[in-house]
Amino acid sequence: MNAILLGILALPLLAALALWALPIALGDRLAALYGAVVSGLVLVGSVLLWQRTEGWFAYSGVQQRLGDSMRPLAAVTDGPWIPPLGVRFHIGVDSISVPLIVLTALLTFLCCIYSLKITPRIGRMRSLIALLLVIEAGVIGAFSAMDLVLFFVCFEIVLIPMWLIIDIWGDDHDRAGRKRAATTFVLMTVFGSALMLLGFLLVYRQAGTFDLVQLTNSPVLGGHGVPLAAALLIAVGLAVKVPLWPLHIWLPDAHAKAPTVGSVILAGVLLKLGTYGLIRILVPVLPDATVTIAPYLAGFSTVAIIAGSLACLGQTDVKRLIAYSSVGHMGFIGLGIASLSEAGMQGALFANIAHGIITGLLFFLAGAIKDRHDTSDLRTIGRALYARLPRIGALLTFACLASLGLPGLAGFWGEMLILLGAYNPADSLPRATYLVFMVIAGLGTVLTAAYFLRLIRNLCQGDPADNPASAFAVDLSRIELITWSPLVVLTVLLGVWPGLLLAQWGNL
Amino acid sequence: MTLTWTDWQAIAVPLVLAIGAVAVLLIDAFWRSSTAQLRHTVVTLLTGAVILFGIVFVWAQRDDFKPAFCRPVTEGPAECSLVFEPLTAGLWGVLLIGGLGVVGLSAYRLLSADIPVGEYHFLLLSALVGATTLAGARDLATVVIGLEVVSLPSFALVALRRDRRGSEAAMKAFLVSVLSTAVMLFGISYLYGVTGSLHLTTIANRLNGLDANLERVAFAAGLFVIVGFGFKIAAVPFHAWLPDTYVGAPVEVTAFLAVVSKSAGVAGLLVLVVTGLAPDGSDLRLVIAILAAVTMTVGNLAALRQREAVRLLAWSSIGQVGFLLAPLAVGDAQAVVGYLAAYVIVTLGAFGAVAVVQRHRPSGLLSDYRGMVRSEPGLAVALIFFLVVLAGLPPGLAGLFTKFAAFQSVIDAHLGWLAIVMAINVMIGLAVYLRWVAELFLLPADDPFSVDIETPAVVMVSLFTAAAVVVSVLPSTLFALAT
């Protein structure tokens, strides 16, 4: 069991190094094929991990703390790493991390498959695939790290590869812009993670350990003073990654300038590191301090929902629009976590997965539209996608509906549970405040529906006669169909059978 | 002062280095009949052997305590002027490895032909004698002598090329050095006046029982000593000489300045702080902490604007010194030595890579490095790795964990504001190095750098890369240096 986890951590890293060692003459397609095989193996490994883990590990609630027996942690590897600093190499998975690991493996796999046929104009696929694999390893490492410092290291592993992906393979019309976007992304994230590290060190000073299992079992209590400072630093550091308003300013540019696979990984996987960190570290390790800051977290999340949605209404660039919609969705997840209730937490976990799948699909679609028109500007693309690219138009509509939370699709359950959680937050939180947040967030869902429907109307509908088809507008190609269908299937599956995930996290 | 006993093993390493220095000078002077290549190789090997002896010695004796030049005191333990203890072993290890790296970078065909080999290696070894003495010094007179023995060869080295830039650079370094020595001696004289002793432990003991007026004098005296060191290690605001000197010197000498000379200064300051000149909670520690914050911020911000590789490394080395001063300000020797070791290895590597490029493209602009991942992949990957370690991000785990240790010691000492400044500087520092990394990755390049790299350079850069990889995989080795 732990061999599988170690394997899916080591395989992508070693495979990436091997890929760089291969000659440059290696064909782009061969590199993508290699990446697909490696990430396919990782996907198989991550699915194997799934079967045997059940129950919660880290979520301890605020009032009731579960006994050790109820916190199953599988595939544990625990050994000293840097004894002078008190750092251990401690990894393991539980039901919170396994779905995220599978999501990571799935999206990386799909990106590699997609790259078999559709590549950024600049080429250099060998390096792109290798960087994707490094990111995959880093993210899986972060999702399985049971040591704060190991989490921090894995959190940082993804930064430089992602920076390179945006900087090298990004929007080829706007070199200065993509450079700025990449640099803003990496600098803001690294600052956030440095603050997070300060928080971890404060925790270490209080508790004398970086070990998450020990810290979860005997958390750092106290809602003011050093625990509060630690919680603030950790929350701000992770909020940059989530990103929570007003720390989201790196996100729209980074998503808009990144290549398609970069956007998919960034939105589908990297943003989850932030919310995962909040659930895994902030809530259980600093329970009292979290109660102190939770209303503010909820407030900023609610602002994010509204601000993200309003920004979407004003966007003319389809990739930026989807990026801002991520701000709104991540705001929902933040609200769910800040409610500190079981429903809110489950909703946040569910929305995490659902957002990864749906936004991954949306960015694939946006990339496809951008590739076909050589721009992502809605005004230049024109209208009447239904007539010009019927299948892609239909898929876009499907993904938009899923994203706006149509019941029966995956986007619905998470947000519903989150609103439920905000309606009934943990007892130690001010309920009236949360009720206000819930109402505003509910308005946010309406705004979400508004901008997605506006996108569909502006892009898909319209008179085909006014919007002549561009010369090489090919509708859905086979590779796109293959890549996207798992996401479509999962969106429907999780929509009609949310219990698939929710059952893992205990009863409501 | 009557010398009563000396454990000669404690001064074995400086002695052997000094003998080696004289030997290489004589070989070069009296063996003119041989070819330049043979002479250079012999001198390099001899210098390397001498330093290697030092490293082996330090490794073998790392857990021992060996005092030298001691005399008994009526009350308390004996006063010793030079002590070999685990902390000394760690510092000597770092200094000697740095020296060995510089020797390797100055091998035949790498060092510019117009630099006299014998003098160069003589000066190098002399400076190492001073550096090791300084790191082991336990009285203020020895500190000053050690520091002077590091400094005098340093600006002679800078001037070795004998052109106008070199002379100007050496002149700047010389004037600053003289000034800093004067300032430091002034401070030391006051310390002596206040405490009546030059021995660090005795000074530390007597500082505790001073009355308030004398305490103020002692604080001012300590301040002067720190300012003196501030000039040597180029802490802001005493850094103005550094960029011009670095750019004016040959790249190998710049590597020496950045590695050996700077480490020696840090080592001396560390010895002063941990032996009690600035005990826990003293205002002097706060001064060093402020110095650290200002130094790292100014250094990194200025590095952001540089367009030349060496100038960027010069300013970023100021930023790195700021990071070194942070754990130093709280007296955490383990974090300082670990940081210093990682810094020495990757700085040597970065200068080694820069030297390769600069030999063929003297302009030394960052744009010379464009597209090197494709045209010169091995060198580019090594350079990227060094820069990433300097920035402290994965895969450069050595840099990450030494920064981590610095953060940890600062947090443990309740210096929250310094930790925040450091966090901001991690971000700025990353921006500095990423600019360079971006150039390396940029394709297509119209005139990519591609040459037959000299074999010794390949060997040295590979060695530095290997060392950096090892300490990245096993960061605990860095922190085992000083326990």
Side-chain angles (χ1 to χ4, degrees):
Chain A
M1 196 62 183
N2 51 9
I4 297 177
L5 183 57
L6 285 174
I8 64 174
L9 279 172
L11 179 65
L13 277 184
L14 297 177
L17 289 179
L19 192 54
W20 269 314
L22 291 176
I24 298 164
L26 188 77
D28 285 357
R29 257 186 95 177
L30 211 56
L33 189 65
Y34 175 87
V37 170
V38 171
S39 54
L41 285 173
V42 175
L43 180 61
V44 171
S46 65
V47 172
L48 285 179
L49 279 179
W50 186 305
Q51 295 167 344
R52 298 169 217 182
T53 56
E54 45 193 39
W56 290 69
F57 156 61
Y59 175 55
S60 60
V62 183
Q63 300 86 18
Q64 108 270 20
R65 302 212 158 74
L66 304 171
D68 277 339
S69 57
M70 293 180 67
R71 289 177 179 151
L73 188 65
V76 180
T77 307
D78 188 6
W81 189 17
I82 313 171
L85 302 180
V87 179
R88 298 182 70 76
F89 185 84
H90 187 183
I91 54 171
V93 290
D94 66 354
S95 63
I96 299 180
S97 38
V98 169
L100 286 164
I101 291 175
V102 174
L103 174 73
T104 309
L106 176 70
L107 285 178
T108 316
F109 176 62
L110 294 181
C111 283
C112 289
I113 297 271
Y114 185 77
S115 304
L116 278 174
K117 279 283 162 59
I118 300 165
T119 60
R121 192 164 298 166
I122 186 168
R124 299 175 81 179
M125 289 312 288
R126 194 179 62 119
S127 296
L128 180 60
I129 296 292
L131 291 172
L132 282 180
L133 292 176
V134 173
I135 293 178
E136 179 180 32
V139 174
I140 293 178
F143 285 145
S144 55
M146 286 297 144
D147 184 285
L148 292 179
V149 180
L150 188 60
F151 176 80
F152 168 77
V153 170
C154 292
F155 196 85
E156 301 249 290
I157 283 179
V158 300
L159 291 183
I160 289 189
M162 199 65 219
W163 170 74
L164 284 171
I165 287 181
I166 301 175
D167 189 38
I168 297 178
W169 290 273
D171 190 344
D172 44 25
H173 295 304
D174 183 9
R175 214 179 101 191
R178 70 171 196 249
K179 190 170 208 66
R180 196 173 51 239
T183 308
T184 317
F185 156 75
V186 76
L187 292 186
M188 281 193 70
T189 320
V190 91
F191 182 54
S193 60
L195 291 183
M196 181 178 80
L197 179 65
L198 294 187
F200 289 172
L201 288 168
L202 283 177
V203 168
Y204 183 78
R205 202 174 85 191
Q206 296 295 106
T209 179
F210 287 119
D211 195 279
L212 257 174
V213 178
Q214 284 180 35
L215 284 169
T216 310
N217 288 334
S218 50
V220 178
L221 300 175
H224 46 79
V226 175
L228 180 62
L232 268 177
L233 288 166
I234 295 174
V236 170
L238 291 169
V240 175
K241 193 83 181 180
V242 171
L244 217 51
W245 185 90
L247 299 170
H248 69 282
I249 44 178
W250 59 269
L251 179 129
D253 273 341
H255 276 97
K257 301 298 177 201
T260 305
V261 290
S263 303
V264 170
I265 293 291
L266 190 56
V269 174
L270 294 197
L271 302 190
K272 308 301 173 288
L273 286 174
T275 45
Y276 173 81
L278 290 174
I279 296 173
R280 169 72 82 197
I281 297 169
L282 183 68
V283 176
V285 174
L286 296 155
D288 297 344
T290 307
V291 170
T292 313
I293 63 170
Y296 302 96
L297 199 62
F300 280 115
S301 302
T302 314
V303 176
I305 297 171
I306 299 296
S309 308
L310 289 177
C312 281
L313 280 173
Q315 292 306 314
T316 56
D317 181 304
V318 61
K319 290 190 86 171
R320 280 183 85 86
L321 189 148
I322 298 170
Y324 269 114
S325 86
S326 283
V327 176
H329 287 300
M330 296 316 276
F332 268 105
I333 298 175
L335 179 61
I337 297 169
S339 76
L340 295 179
S341 63
E342 207 170 319
M345 210 62 87
Q346 294 203 349
L349 287 166
F350 192 90
N352 241 353
I353 305 288
H355 176 263
I357 295 169
I358 297 169
T359 310
L361 181 59
L362 272 172
F363 271 116
F364 268 131
L365 285 160
I369 293 170
K370 186 179 177 181
D371 288 344
R372 281 168 175 72
H373 298 89
D374 204 24
T375 175
S376 53
D377 192 327
L378 285 171
R379 290 162 301 193
T380 322
I381 295 172
R383 302 183 63 190
L385 217 57
Y386 282 150
R388 289 185 284 154
L389 305 165
R391 295 198 179 117
I392 287 184
L395 275 172
L396 183 69
T397 311
F398 169 80
C400 287
L401 291 179
S403 188
L404 67 79
L406 191 73
L409 297 177
F412 170 71
W413 296 105
E415 295 187 1
M416 193 207 73
L417 282 169
I418 287 165
L419 291 179
L420 208 60
Y423 177 71
N424 203 356
D427 295 340
S428 43
L429 296 171
R431 179 147 188 244
T433 317
Y434 276 80
L435 283 182
V436 175
F437 291 153
M438 187 202 78
V439 172
I440 299 176
L443 283 174
T445 58
V446 178
L447 281 175
T448 310
Y451 67 74
F452 271 126
L453 294 176
R454 180 173 161 273
L455 173 70
I456 293 172
R457 202 186 66 202
N458 284 351
L459 192 58
C460 297
Q461 299 174 349
D463 186 352
D466 303 340
N467 300 282
S470 43
F472 2 43
V474 190
D475 204 2
L476 194 65
S477 65
R478 199 157 46 144
I479 196 74
E480 288 169 334
L481 181 68
I482 294 170
T483 326
W484 300 345
S485 47
L487 298 176
V488 175
V489 170
L490 278 174
T491 309
V492 176
L493 183 68
L494 289 179
V496 295
W497 187 20
L500 183 66
L501 282 176
L502 291 176
Q504 287 229 316
W505 300 323
N507 297 317
L508 261 176
Chain B
M1 192 192 297
T2 48
L3 291 184
T4 50
W5 81 82
T6 289
D7 187 339
W8 288 97
Q9 288 194 44
I11 52 169
V13 172
L15 266 184
V16 171
L17 289 174
I19 294 167
V22 177
V24 291
L25 192 62
L26 291 179
I27 286 177
D28 188 49
F30 289 102
W31 196 30
R32 308 305 301 188
S33 54
S34 65
T35 61
Q37 175 170 9
L38 184 63
R39 210 164 59 232
H40 195 136
T41 314
V42 167
V43 165
T44 302
L45 286 179
L46 183 60
T47 318
V50 167
I51 300 178
L52 213 53
F53 162 79
I55 295 173
V56 171
F57 181 91
V58 167
W59 176 256
Q61 309 283 335
R62 63 190 181 281
D63 296 326
D64 286 7
F65 177 85
K66 296 179 194 298
F69 309 117
C70 299
R71 61 181 191 130
V73 183
T74 41
E75 80 282 9
E79 291 177 329
C80 297
S81 295
L82 199 145
V83 169
F84 181 87
E85 56 183 7
L87 172 63
T88 323
L91 289 172
W92 282 11
V94 171
L95 290 166
L96 291 171
I97 288 170
L100 194 61
V102 175
V103 172
L105 288 181
S106 319
Y108 182 68
R109 283 173 69 205
L110 300 187
L111 193 66
S112 145
D114 53 358
I115 294 179
V117 183
E119 280 97 322
Y120 178 85
H121 287 86
F122 165 73
L123 293 170
L124 202 73
L125 282 174
S126 311
L128 272 179
V129 173
T132 44
T133 313
L134 179 59
R138 291 297 180 274
D139 84 47
L140 287 172
T142 316
V143 164
V144 173
I145 293 168
L147 201 55
E148 282 311 294
V149 179
V150 189
S151 304
L152 289 168
S154 300
F155 26 78
L157 277 171
V158 173
L160 266 187
R161 205 161 53 184
R162 300 205 179 95
D163 60 359
R164 198 157 154 264
R165 271 175 92 189
S167 316
E168 189 191 323
M171 199 58 177
K172 268 192 180 142
F174 174 70
L175 289 177
V176 168
S177 184
V178 170
L179 179 68
S180 70
T181 310
V183 171
M184 199 184 303
L185 283 173
F186 185 70
I188 288 173
S189 67
Y190 268 72
L191 270 180
Y192 183 69
V194 170
T195 60
S197 172
L198 284 175
H199 285 275
L200 292 172
T201 43
T202 319
I203 293 178
N205 285 337
R206 295 189 185 161
L207 279 178
N208 284 330
L210 288 181
D211 66 85
N213 287 330
L214 283 181
E215 213 163 67
R216 242 170 282 151
V217 178
F219 172 74
L223 204 59
F224 278 119
V225 175
I226 289 173
V227 168
F229 271 104
F231 276 113
K232 299 285 181 194
I233 61 176
V236 178
F238 317 111
H239 65 288
W241 59 277
L242 182 133
D244 287 340
T245 306
Y246 275 30
V247 174
V251 178
E252 294 78 17
V253 175
T254 312
F256 164 81
L257 291 176
V259 170
V260 177
S261 178
K262 191 161 275 199
S263 305
V266 172
L269 197 53
L270 179 67
V271 166
L272 290 187
V273 170
V274 296
T275 48
L277 199 63
D280 208 1
S282 86
D283 290 341
L284 285 177
R285 290 201 170 186
L286 189 64
V287 170
I288 299 176
I290 293 170
L291 216 56
V294 178
T295 304
M296 66 177 84
T297 311
V298 172
N300 281 330
L301 281 179
L304 263 184
R305 305 171 51 85
Q306 304 307 319
R307 288 170 50 243
E308 289 172 38
V310 174
R311 252 181 218 282
L312 186 144
L313 281 177
W315 280 105
S316 89
S317 82
I318 297 178
Q320 298 285 348
V321 161
F323 260 99
L324 271 165
L325 285 175
L328 207 156
V330 299
D332 186 344
Q334 193 179 346
V336 174
V337 178
Y339 198 109
L340 205 54
Y343 165 80
V344 161
I345 291 170
V346 293
T347 308
L348 280 170
F351 274 110
V354 167
V356 170
V357 177
Q358 211 116 313
R359 256 193 298 281
H360 302 275
R361 299 209 173 161
S363 62
L365 295 174
L366 284 186
S367 51
D368 290 347
Y369 295 76
R370 189 162 295 170
M372 249 170 73
V373 276
R374 193 55 71 76
S375 62
E376 203 63 75
L379 189 63
V381 167
L383 182 56
I384 291 167
F385 189 64
F386 299 138
L387 294 176
V388 170
V389 173
L390 282 174
L393 273 194
L397 290 181
L400 186 140
F401 280 111
T402 46
K403 283 208 164 60
F404 177 90
F407 271 113
Q408 197 169 25
S409 55
V410 168
I411 287 276
D412 285 345
H414 300 259
L415 286 173
W417 61 272
L418 183 56
I420 298 282
V421 174
M422 286 162 75
I424 294 170
N425 273 286
V426 167
M427 178 179 74
I428 309 175
L430 179 63
V432 169
Y433 300 113
L434 282 188
R435 278 177 59 226
W436 198 345
V437 175
E439 287 286 354
L440 287 157
F441 271 103
L442 201 60
L443 281 180
D446 14 303
D447 181 22
F449 176 81
S450 177
V451 292
D452 258 347
I453 303 174
E454 299 83 351
T455 320
V458 175
V459 172
M460 288 319 291
V461 173
S462 313
L463 277 178
F464 296 137
T465 317
V469 169
V470 168
V471 293
S472 287
V473 176
L474 302 166
S476 39
T477 49
L478 289 172
F479 302 105
L481 282 172
T483 40

